[in-house]
Structure formats: structure tokens, C-alpha cells
Amino acid sequence: MNKVILMGRLTRDPDVRYSQGESATAVARYTLAVDRRFRRDGDQSADFIGCVAFGRQAEFAEKYLRQGTKIAISGRIQTGSYTNRDGQKVYTTDVVVEDQEFAESKAAGGNAGGFQQQGGFQSAPAPSAAAGDGFMNIPDGIDEELPFS
């Protein structure tokens, strides 16, 4: 089985190109910076993973993804090779994106909306007395209609 699931931030805006021919297909390339859980002294704190999306996924990337956007992707690893201009063989490894989605809200991505960065994780502030406990009030008498009560 060849399945990859990653969550990270785009290092730059996606590079989108269209194939030639009758049915031109969009091809988007971008790099995800994926944080490492553990790090030894002197090691980098993230891995930079090359990703490529085709068709509708590429069009989505072109329209909505920007540098710094946190996304979650799933796909498969694909290896390949080509000969560069100097005649040397270059080996490549990319993640072919099958699904991609936002991993945080716009407000959290811009560090707005009352969210605070703590220890590398996004966390909501403690609710104030005016905001209540964060739970919706269920009207009286509705308990009989709930299938799990």
C-alpha cells in the first residue's frame, strides 16, 4: 500500500501550469514544511516535502492556497528520474496529492480571532463569563426527541 498523510504549511504560493493539447490539465507544484516531533541538536525542525496535484486538485491549489497556509493532504509517493542539462541523472520523490483540505481557519492562520500561539499549537482562549461555557443551551422538553438520550 502506498499512502501518505501530511499536515504542514506551504513554503510559497503553488506553481501552477497547464498541459498542452485539447484537454489542458492543470498541474500544481508546492512544497510543504512539515514539523518534526523530535529534534536532535543541530537538526532542522521541519522536513520540506515536494507535492504535485493534478486537475481539480491543482485548480483548487491555484485558487485558494497561499504561502503559509496550513493544509492536510493525502496521496501517494511517486519516484522518478530525469537527465539534467549537464547530463547527470537526477532522482525525484514527490507526493501525488489525491485530497487536500485546510487544517485551520483563516482567523487562526492569521493569528487573529482571539487565538494564541502556545508551544507550537493553536489554542483558544479561556471563555469569558459573558461567553458562557462554550456549550449551546438545549431547550426544555427536547430530550424526548433525541435518539441517544
Side-chain angles (χ1 to χ4, degrees):
M1 177 185 290
N2 183 355
K3 186 73 169 179
V4 176
I5 300 171
L6 299 171
M7 185 180 328
R9 294 189 184 276
L10 272 74
T11 60
R12 63 179 187 279
D13 289 354
D15 177 26
V16 181
R17 298 177 187 199
Y18 288 84
S19 63
Q20 302 292 326
E22 279 183 36
S23 56
T25 302
V27 180
R29 292 189 173 277
Y30 54 83
T31 302
L32 275 186
V34 179
D35 287 334
R36 290 184 177 175
R37 282 192 173 192
F38 304 104
R39 176 173 78 137
R40 287 181 274 168
D41 291 336
D43 280 354
Q44 60 187 18
S45 63
D47 291 302
F48 299 91
I49 313 288
C51 302
V52 60
F54 298 95
R56 296 179 70 90
Q57 296 293 343
E59 292 168 4
F60 176 88
E62 179 179 37
K63 189 171 183 180
Y64 297 109
L65 302 183
R66 297 290 172 257
Q67 179 179 351
T69 304
K70 187 174 188 179
I71 62 171
I73 67 165
S74 63
R76 60 185 170 81
I77 291 180
Q78 180 172 294
T79 60
S81 65
Y82 64 92
T83 305
N84 68 12
R85 293 179 186 151
D86 300 330
Q88 296 176 329
K89 195 164 197 166
V90 178
Y91 294 94
T92 62
T93 302
D94 290 310
V95 173
V96 177
V97 176
E98 295 169 354
D99 188 36
Q100 58 194 352
E101 58 188 63
F102 295 105
E104 68 183 358
S105 67
K106 252 187 180 179
N111 214 13
F115 283 82
Q116 303 164 354
Q117 188 82 13
Q118 293 180 345
F121 298 99
Q122 294 287 341
S123 63
S128 66
D133 60 3
F135 291 97
M136 183 178 90
N137 291 326
I138 298 176
D140 292 331
I142 198 167
D143 292 336
E144 295 81 34
E145 297 178 30
L146 297 176
F148 49 82
S149 59

